[in-house]
Amino acid sequence: APPAATCYQQAKRVLHTAVPERLHGRERETAAVRQFLREHVAARRPGSLYIAGAPGTGKTACVSRVLHDCQDELAGIRSAVLNCMALSSAHAVFPAVAEQLGLPTAGVGGRELTRRLERALTAKGPMLLLVLDELDQLGSRAQDVLYTIFEWPRLPGSRLVLIGLANALDLTERVLARLHTPPLPGPRLLRFAPYSRQELAAILHGRLQQLRGGPVLEPNALQFCARKVSAVSGDARKALDVCRRAVELVELDVRSQTLLQPPPGGE
């Protein structure tokens, strides 16, 4: 492939929504998730963290980055990450959690399954870490399911540390209000605000900085994209998509110009 084509391919690759080495504008949130894991997993204290924020504000990326960076600290525990969007129903979360955590619950369902899960989660053994992404799926379908799950870390003798991620900021107030009853604490809340124009520009610049050679998109174009997206949603995925589409258009334009050029030596 010609150098220009390779350059555009690389640009589109770095503008994909994979988790980067460094999360711009999420230093405080990353530190908070790390601290939560230290206080609960490392200290063998059950607990729950509820992470809320609009789509594209870095919730999943932040948790994925922390789990990756803390692999050594988490080596002695059983951990599972489950995306609730993939579930056929809200109640399907129970067998899915059992399977992810390697708990012996085969051949049972309904209330018996939840009872076995509770017994397993409160039995002696190493700490268990459960990350549930897209929690809104459960809350909108069956609120009792969400309540049951967040009750698990509060059970006497529980060894579960739970991290839940959702778009709805008020899910804990609407659905989980009963969990804030003393003496046990309710879920800790960590909010992710929409990205600002400056943060979106830094994210885009950081991605394209990885490319060798000159910039594929002008700094003014990145600023324009950051300004427009921050005004509407502050969604980093949307900003990455817009820039990737811009690179595709430039690539198509360059290709069409190349095809229209006369052959060397010809008129």
Side-chain angles (χ1 to χ4, degrees), residues 42-96:
R44 293 190 57 82
R45 281 177 54 224
S48 58
L49 174 66
Y50 175 75
I51 297 176
T57 51
K59 303 183 299 296
T60 304
C62 176
V63 172
S64 299
R65 185 76 259 160
V66 172
L67 292 180
H68 180 271
D69 292 345
C70 296
Q71 284 180 76
D72 291 345
E73 295 169 53
L74 301 174
I77 71 156
R78 184 83 186 230
S79 60
V81 179
L82 190 62
N83 190 316
C84 299
M85 191 81 84
L87 299 172
S88 57
S89 70
H91 286 86
V93 72
F94 297 124

Side-chain angles (χ1 to χ4, degrees), residues 95-117:
V97 167
E99 185 184 345
Q100 287 283 319
L101 293 176
L103 302 175
T105 55
V108 291
R111 287 184 179 172
E112 177 57 26
L113 176 57
T114 56
R115 274 197 291 269
R116 286 201 189 183
L117 268 168

